[in-house]
Amino acid sequence: MKIYEMTDEQRIKLLLDGGYIDQKQAELLRSRQTISTDLADSLSENQIGSFSLPYGFATDFLVDGQDYLVPMVIEEPSVVAAASNAAKRIKNSGGFKTYPTSRIVYGQIVLENVTVEEIAKLEQNDSEIFAFAQQAHPSLIKRGGGIVSLKFNHYDQFEEIELGIDTVDAMGANMVNTILEKTSQKLATMISGDVLCSILSNSGQGQIITVEANVEYNQLATKTMSGEEVAQRIVKLADFAKKSVKRAITHNKGIMNGIDAVLIATGNDFRAQEAAAHSFAFESGQYQPFTEWHLADGKLVGTLKMPIELGSVGGAIKAMPMAQLSLAMMKIQNSQQLQSVVGAVGLANNLSALRALVTTGIQAGHMGLQSKSLAIAAGAIGPEIEQVAKKLNQTKNYTLQNAENILMELRGK
Ligand code: NDP
């Protein structure tokens, strides 16, 4: 039986039998009570409930030789299906290869009204400042991370001290802020001017990852188009995104569909990722797509390059049982492994979107899956949902009015 044809209970059993989750996690999923009131209260303010989103998983991800089921949290139909669909085509072609670089988070201490003499003094004492910052979070050094760079930048009346910090497996925002604030106290004793602020940068420049996939032409063919033709059309559309900002934005939105869904499922700060991604897209001065596609050696070659700002520990990740479940499902050992999987999902969603756009168009698959939401919006319940959705797909008239008419007919009204 195909996973998408299973009931949710059958899917939970599949995860359990496959060793992806344990009995306790299966019970957590079945309970549909994934966050306690105490936890909700501790995570955010003025809470009055919890807001649920569908939690599912994408299949067939072969990343750096390892198979993954990838948990995704998303309210938009077709994102999980699209990720799984492209992942399978890529798996059949050898899988994803990923090239993470570093895990550096940059932080800024901004000083104001510092004299030229004081700046010179700070620069002369850079190793002392570096050593002080290093000692501000000693456990990070024990974990193999810590301060890796210190730079002075001048901006008119401002002087910035930029620290590069390897936060190992944590996203690192709190850690970096703690280090910066402690270091700024030391700096305050060395200058007459003011410490305006100390805060990490979400630039993501130290967390850029490259993900590649070589896709066999035969994996791309449709009923009416050869795989090679589909590949050529994908390359053209991806090239167009380099020229048209409007297209590039939507191209990237499709990539973020997958990336954000995994970040939410793993309890990560997706706003940080969004901020990093936006700035990277504009790095050259013209907004650019995160992926590039070309033909080489009889294959379609796709490359995603972008910052992926996340952690596999820290923040809300440890506290949220569902985030722990997601990490367990993927058997995540460290943050770079999670970055690799997230990058692969981004590339997979991009391939699915491009393939659909240059062949049948996006609506053919999208509306087919949207039909269930439309059925529910029309008031369908239980088995009616599937029946109304099926009729909507047959009529291909995806309007609320049509869904309501079909439901009334079904109920004999
Ligand atoms: P934490 O403050 O939770 O720090 C990470 C924790 O993980 C530390 O307690 C650390 O322990 C522990 N840890 C365990 N194992 C490891 C390991 N292998 N590598 C690294 N740390 C490990 O979280 P972060 O500093 O990651 O901050 C993330 C949070 O900050 C998110 O919730 C985010 O929303 C929030 N935030 C984001 C901002 C932004 O993006 N602009 C601004 C402010 C907050 P130990 O201390 O013993 O080393």
Side-chain angles (χ1 to χ4, degrees):
M1 188 190 244
K2 301 244 169 54
I3 291 175
Y4 63 81
E5 291 167 346
M6 291 178 176
T7 62
D8 57 352
E9 178 51 37
Q10 285 170 322
R11 291 184 196 123
I12 292 172
K13 192 165 178 316
L14 178 131
L15 294 178
L16 198 53
D17 293 348
Y20 292 97
I21 58 171
D22 60 24
Q23 194 65 49
K24 210 170 147 205
Q25 290 164 333
E27 287 312 319
L28 177 69
L29 286 169
R30 287 181 184 124
S31 75
R32 298 206 170 245
Q33 299 289 321
T34 52
I35 185 166
S36 68
T37 306
D38 284 349
L39 179 56
D41 240 347
S42 72
L43 287 177
S44 180
E45 305 76 39
N46 297 353
Q47 72 94 14
I48 46 168
S50 60
F51 183 103
S52 299
L53 288 171
Y55 179 82
F57 60 88
T59 55
D60 288 305
F61 274 85
L62 177 62
V63 185
D64 298 325
Q66 196 168 323
D67 278 304
Y68 292 92
L69 294 181
V70 185
M72 298 175 87
V73 170
I74 190 151
E75 86 296 348
E76 185 179 345
S78 90
V79 174
V80 175
S84 306
N85 184 296
K88 191 164 189 187
R89 296 178 200 282
I90 292 170
K91 184 180 188 173
N92 292 340
S93 311
F96 298 88
K97 285 199 182 66
T98 75
Y99 308 91
T101 49
S102 52
R103 280 279 308 121
I104 314 298
V105 180
Y106 291 98
Q108 302 175 291
I109 301 174
V110 185
L111 311 177
E112 201 189 13
N113 300 327
V114 193
T115 64
V116 176
E117 294 74 30
E118 284 173 335
I119 294 172
K121 187 177 154 203
L122 290 176
E123 287 179 337
Q124 277 159 19
N125 288 292
D126 61 348
S127 23
E128 193 192 329
I129 299 167
F130 189 99
F132 186 88
Q134 194 67 288
Q135 284 311 313
H137 202 115
S139 57
L140 204 48
I141 308 168
K142 283 193 208 129
R143 297 185 193 285
I147 317 297
V148 295
S149 64
L150 185 154
K151 214 173 134 199
F152 291 86
N153 298 313
H154 314 282
Y155 301 88
D156 302 325
Q157 80 269 34
F158 303 111
E159 179 69 13
E160 180 206 351
I161 296 176
E162 182 195 278
L163 290 177
I165 304 173
D166 179 346
T167 58
V168 195
D169 294 320
M171 179 265 192
N174 286 328
M175 281 177 155
V176 170
N177 289 345
T178 304
I179 294 171
L180 296 173
E181 287 189 5
K182 281 193 187 167
T183 310
S184 67
Q185 285 165 13
K186 162 92 176 162
L187 293 171
T189 65
M190 299 168 77
I191 56 167
S192 58
D194 179 36
V195 177
L196 190 62
C197 89
S198 309
I199 182 79
L200 85 150
S201 165
N202 286 108
S203 81
Q205 275 164 6
Q207 297 156 71
I208 291 169
I209 184 168
T210 305
V211 181
E212 268 177 25
N214 292 0
V215 195
E216 309 272 1
Y217 288 156
N218 63 16
Q219 292 297 322
L220 297 165
T222 67
K223 281 183 195 145
T224 55
M225 226 182 262
S226 77
E228 186 170 2
E229 194 183 344
V230 175
Q232 285 163 350
R233 291 171 67 83
I234 285 175
V235 170
K236 281 187 215 166
L237 185 56
D239 282 348
F240 178 67
K242 289 185 201 162
K243 300 177 196 338
S244 157
V245 173
K246 285 200 173 72
R247 173 63 209 139
I249 294 167
T250 317
H251 178 106
N252 286 346
K253 191 275 179 180
I255 294 170
M256 298 311 293
N257 272 343
I259 288 181
D260 280 344
V262 188
L263 290 182
I264 297 171
T266 53
N268 268 290
D269 184 337
F270 59 95
R271 290 84 55 202
Q273 169 59 22
E274 286 284 343
H278 293 319
S279 75
F280 185 75
F282 207 74
E283 208 178 42
S284 67
Q286 155 134 353
Y287 187 94
Q288 285 292 296
F290 299 133
T291 62
E292 186 272 336
W293 293 89
H294 65 273
L295 306 181
D297 302 327
K299 287 179 186 169
L300 172 68
V301 180
T303 309
L304 171 141
K305 189 174 176 202
M306 66 187 296
I308 295 189
E309 207 170 292
L310 54 69
S312 57
V313 296
I317 298 169
K318 181 94 180 154
M320 289 169 70
M322 288 300 288
Q324 288 300 311
L325 193 154
S326 295
L327 295 173
M329 197 192 293
M330 294 185 279
K331 301 184 174 56
I332 292 296
Q333 302 293 326
N334 55 53
S335 61
Q336 285 203 330
Q337 185 190 3
L338 184 56
Q339 266 185 325
S340 295
V341 175
V342 169
V345 173
L347 189 57
N349 275 105
N350 185 231
L351 175 61
S352 264
L354 293 175
R355 181 174 176 273
L357 284 170
V358 300
T359 55
T360 53
I362 208 84
Q363 289 306 78
H366 203 84
M367 292 315 290
L369 291 166
Q370 187 84 29
S371 57
K372 279 193 191 170
S373 307
L374 214 47
I376 293 171
I381 46 171
E384 288 174 345
I385 299 168
E386 196 63 52
Q387 290 164 332
V388 174
K390 204 170 163 190
K391 276 257 173 180
L392 278 169
N393 291 338
Q394 280 164 1
T395 60
K396 299 216 183 307
N397 176 7
Y398 297 104
T399 61
L400 185 59
Q401 186 62 60
N402 191 29
E404 284 169 353
N405 292 345
I406 293 169
L407 184 63
M408 285 209 323
E409 207 176 291
L410 198 73
R411 289 176 176 175
K413 287 182 188 162

